Amino acid sequence: MAVHHGGEDAGLFPYLAREFPERVETFDRLRTEHGTVARILDELQHLLSRLDEVRPEDLHAEFDRLHGELVEHFAYEESEVVPLLRGLAP
């Protein structure tokens, strides 16, 4: 996921922000969400590294939190970015 989001943050979003300066807040939000997803993944990896100490319900809660963040993120990204990309197609 880091490669995917890193590519968006470093390449795609700056390009789209130049093409659509009125949408810069959209790309700022998506970059912030990328940070949130990365943090949750780090926390999940930490839990997984201590699997013998972690209660199953705590692990389940982290997976649920990650799932919720990703569903919301991808829905927003699809609704906001995909139409812009389609508008750029020849």
Side-chain angles (χ1 to χ4, degrees), residues 6-53:
E8 288 178 338
D9 291 344
L12 180 62
F13 294 163
Y15 168 76
L16 290 174
R18 287 190 301 275
E19 294 294 314
F20 303 97
E22 71 280 5
R23 303 300 295 275
V24 72
E25 289 179 10
T26 297
F27 308 116
D28 290 342
R29 173 181 166 173
L30 290 168
R31 275 191 291 279
T32 298
E33 290 177 3
H34 289 172
T36 300
V37 169
R39 182 180 43 74
I40 293 170
L41 283 172
D42 286 345
E43 292 168 6
L44 185 59
Q45 287 176 337
H46 179 71
L47 283 175
L48 289 171
S49 73
R50 304 178 9 243
L51 200 52
D52 57 333
E53 304 167 16

Side-chain angles (χ1 to χ4, degrees), residues 76-87:
Y76 181 74
E77 189 171 65
E78 185 174 333
S79 71
E80 298 297 321
V81 176
V82 170
L84 299 177
L85 294 173
R86 286 188 179 130

Side-chain angles (χ1 to χ4, degrees), residues 56-74:
E57 56 268 22
D58 293 339
L59 193 56
H60 186 70
E62 283 302 303
F63 276 110
D64 283 347
R65 186 165 62 124
L66 177 60
H67 175 261
E69 290 285 343
L70 288 174
V71 166
E72 184 177 327
H73 171 73
F74 290 135

